[in-house]
């Protein structure tokens, strides 16, 4: 007991000293990390291995003292482990840029119109300029280094399990040795009651600290996987996919010319990523690819216009995109890919409808038009949403749609714009809300329910006019 009284504060002071030393080591190891794999077999970052090495050395040194310890010592040691790993994980996660920076600016909404005579055309907005700091971070977040980050997070999850198991065993040995000493000095009933309480407290400590680390690592994996998909589609393959697909015409810019680029990226990523993470990453790329396909249909801009006769080719292209990720049964489950593509198929079905049907759907949806600006983060995820329907009309190669958009929204003709986006344009572009605010039939009221009823009356009149008048 004399040894315990003397050693207890000394051990605690030693653990506290290790806390700052390990944190400093963690920060230093992270700062020099270049996110390259250790080897073909070890695909994680060297910094994570170094951090676990110093943590394990500290744990082994403490338990190797073979001195009496109390739960306060375990609590302090677990705090050291938690803060070292949590600091590292948060640094990894905080390197990831918000993915909205990856998306191209929305082009102006236009109505389809062919031009016979040459005119001076306006340049399209390609990509909104980003801050220099954000741009530098984006350039550093290549798909290869993102894969190494993911491998590192899954490595941490595995090592945490091994570390927790080892610490539990070491602590059990310490307590077993002390229990034998206490059993000689205390009644059996008191000893057993004390052991039970101590065991429950120890379990709570381990669960609280290690589960938190595992949860943070899992959150990081989800965030980076989501970012990789957007990075591949909306950044790396922007020119060959988003800007090329159906540009000018459907028949002249089909998906089959783009699939080899996807193949190259997928093969590269599958060679870099840990096997356990492969499906998660490929699922993210699949989701983003179909999102990109829908982006072309709804936000493709003046250079895209689709006729009813184009829909079959577009359906074939979408099926080709799905097959790419199913990979003859060796890729993602067919049911998962079909679920991701369901909205894209519904949008294609809208293009196959008669224009008057789409306009009537737009009239019905007009009550739910938001006054806020449309942004990519909100998305067009509802088939009957006015944002989706008006974009379908804008990209319909159809005279009725053109006349409706000119009359109701005074939209400019697609022929007024150059189909090649400019890279240094302003980030602002005409959005649906701005156009809706200019429309007499779709103007949102400013004076309560009476104005609202008046608007609904005008909509009914407009619908009747659509049915009986020729534009």
């Amino acid at each position: 007991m004399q040894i315990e009284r003397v050693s207890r504060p000394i051990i605690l002071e030693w653990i506290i000293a290790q806390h700052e030393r390990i944190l400093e080591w963690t920060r230093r190891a992270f700062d020099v990390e270049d996110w390259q794999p250790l080897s073909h077999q070890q695909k994680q970052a060297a910094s994570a291995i170094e951090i676990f090495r110093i943590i394990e050395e500290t744990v082994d040194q403490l338990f190797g003292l073979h001195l009496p310890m109390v739960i306060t010592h375990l609590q302090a040691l677990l705090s050291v482990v938690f803060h070292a790993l949590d600091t590292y994980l948060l640094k990894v996660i905080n390197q990831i840029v918000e993915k909205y920076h990856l998306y191209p600016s929305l082009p102006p909404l236009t109505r389809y119109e062919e031009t016979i005579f040459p005119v001076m055309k306006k340049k399209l907005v390609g990509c909104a300029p980003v801050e220099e700091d954000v741009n530098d971070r984006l350039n550093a977040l290549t798909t290869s280094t993102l894969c190494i980050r993911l491998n590192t997070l899954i490595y941490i999850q595995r090592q945490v399990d091994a570390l927790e198991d080892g610490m539990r065993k070491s602590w059990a040995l310490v307590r077993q040795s002390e229990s034998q000493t206490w059993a000689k000095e205390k009644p059996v009933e008191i000893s057993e009651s004390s052991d039970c309480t101590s065991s429950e407290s120890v379990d709570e400590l381990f669960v609280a600290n290690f589960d938190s680390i595992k949860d943070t690592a899992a959150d990081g994996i989800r965030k980076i996987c989501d970012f990789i998909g957007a990075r591949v589609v909306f950044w790396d393959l922007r020119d060959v996919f988003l800007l090329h697909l159906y540009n000018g015409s459907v028949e002249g810019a089909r998906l089959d010319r783009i699939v080899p680029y996807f193949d190259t990226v997928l093969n590269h990523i599958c060679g870099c990523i840990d096997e356990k993470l492969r499906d998660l990453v490929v699922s993210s790329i699949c989701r983003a690819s179909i999102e990109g396909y829908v982006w072309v249909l709804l936000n493709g801009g003046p250079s895209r216009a689709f006729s009813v006769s184009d829909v079959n080719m577009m359906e074939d292209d979408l099926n080709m995109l799905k097959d790419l990720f199913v990979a003859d049964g060796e890729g993602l489950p067919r049911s998962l890919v079909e679920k991701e593509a369901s909205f894209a198929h519904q949008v294609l079905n809208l293009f196959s409808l008669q224009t008057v049907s789409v306009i009537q759907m737009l009239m019905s949806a007009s009550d739910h038009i938001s006054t806020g600006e449309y942004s990519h983060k909100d998305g067009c995820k509802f088939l009957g949403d006015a944002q989706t329907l008006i974009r379908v009309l804008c990209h319909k190669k159809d005279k009725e749609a053109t006349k409706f958009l000119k009359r109701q929204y005074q939209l400019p003709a697609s022929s007024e714009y150059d189909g090649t986006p400019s890279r240094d344009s302003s980030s602002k572009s005409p959005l649906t809300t701005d156009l809706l605010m200019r429309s007499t039939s779709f103007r949102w009221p400013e004076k309560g329910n009476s104005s609202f009823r008046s608007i609904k009356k005008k909509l009914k009149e407009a619908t009747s006019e659509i049915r009986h008048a020729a534009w």
Side-chain angles (χ1 to χ4, degrees), residues 3 9 15 70 93 123 145 159-160 166-167 176-178 200 223 236 273 378 405 415-416:
I3 295 176
I15 295 173
V70 295
I93 294 170
K123 291 292 284 185
T145 61
Q159 289 301 111
V160 161
M167 290 182 67
Q176 182 181 5
S177 175
E178 294 183 12
E200 290 175 356
K223 182 173 182 177
D236 296 339
I273 203 71
D378 296 324
L405 293 171
S415 58
E416 295 179 15

Side-chain angles (χ1 to χ4, degrees), residues 79-343:
S79 178
V80 171
V81 173
F82 171 80
H83 284 104
L85 293 176
D86 188 62
T87 297
Y88 184 86
L89 288 170
L90 291 179
K91 281 181 171 290
V92 173
I93 294 170
N94 290 336
Q95 281 188 327
I96 307 304
V97 178
E98 292 297 328
K99 69 175 187 176
Y100 68 82
H101 290 294
L102 299 168
Y103 298 122
S105 300
L106 292 174
L109 294 180
T110 59
R111 53 188 171 83
Y112 171 73
E113 183 177 278
E114 291 183 350
T115 180
I116 300 175
F117 304 104
V119 295
M120 183 68 71
K121 297 190 176 185
K122 305 171 187 176
K123 291 292 284 185
L124 289 177
V125 173
C127 180
V130 296
E131 296 176 5
E132 185 177 351
D133 173 61
V134 174
N135 190 63
D136 290 343
R137 291 167 65 189
L138 281 172
N139 290 334
L141 294 171
T142 63
T143 53
S144 296
T145 61
L146 288 168
C147 286
I148 303 306
R149 286 173 173 83
L150 283 174
N151 294 341
T152 302
L153 295 183
I154 201 74
Y155 169 80
I156 289 174
Q157 286 185 324
R158 291 167 180 160
Q159 289 301 111
V160 161
D161 286 333
L163 179 62
E164 179 181 3
D165 186 57
M167 290 182 67
R168 281 181 178 271
K169 290 177 179 177
S170 296
W171 180 255
L173 290 174
V174 169
R175 301 309 296 167
Q176 182 181 5
S177 175
E178 294 183 12
S179 296
Q180 292 172 356
T181 303
W182 291 347
K184 299 175 182 178
E185 302 176 2
K186 297 181 181 180
V188 175
E189 295 82 1
I190 297 176
S191 179
E192 289 179 349
S193 175
S194 177
D195 287 347
C196 182
T197 303
S198 176
S199 177
E200 290 175 356
S201 299
V202 167
D203 282 339
E204 290 174 1
L205 280 175
F206 275 103
V207 168
N209 285 278
F210 283 103
D211 280 11
S212 179
I213 291 298
K214 294 172 191 175
D215 289 344
T216 303
D219 288 341
I221 288 172
R222 283 191 291 269
K223 182 173 182 177
I224 296 176
C225 280
D226 190 41
F227 184 86
I228 283 182
R231 160 94 200 197
V232 166
V233 173
F234 290 93
W235 193 264
D236 296 339
L237 298 181
R238 176 182 294 179
D239 290 345
V240 297
F241 181 38
L242 298 183
L243 302 186
H244 173 78
L245 184 65
Y246 304 151
N247 194 317
S249 71
V250 171
E251 189 173 5
R254 298 285 300 276
L255 187 72
D256 56 346
R257 302 179 185 180
I258 303 167
V259 166
Y261 294 97
F262 276 100
D263 266 332
T264 300
V265 171
L266 290 171
N267 287 333
H268 171 70
I269 288 176
C270 288
C272 293
I273 203 71
D274 186 285
E275 186 66 24
K276 186 176 179 181
L277 294 168
R278 190 199 70 164
D279 283 0
L280 278 175
V281 175
V282 174
S283 294
S284 174
I285 297 172
C286 173
R287 188 180 309 113
S289 299
I290 294 172
E291 185 183 358
Y293 185 80
V294 172
W295 191 95
V296 169
L297 301 183
L298 299 180
N299 300 304
S303 63
R304 269 76 170 226
F306 313 119
S307 64
V308 173
S309 61
D310 290 329
V311 174
N312 284 338
M313 288 186 289
M314 295 156 73
E315 283 281 1
D316 289 343
D317 284 349
L318 180 56
N319 289 330
M320 186 187 306
L321 188 60
K322 292 188 301 182
D323 290 341
L324 173 69
F325 291 98
V326 174
D328 295 325
E330 296 182 3
L332 299 176
R334 170 70 68 176
S335 58
L336 174 64
V337 177
E338 291 292 349
K339 182 179 179 181
E340 295 291 351
S342 61
F343 183 70

Side-chain angles (χ1 to χ4, degrees), residues 354-366 389 393 404 463-464 466-467:
Q354 293 295 318
T355 297
V356 66
S357 298
V358 180
I359 292 174
Q360 288 171 346
M361 292 172 68
L362 176 60
M363 292 290 190
S364 299
S366 62
L389 295 167
L393 290 172
F404 173 79
T463 304
S464 176
I466 290 167
R467 289 173 177 167

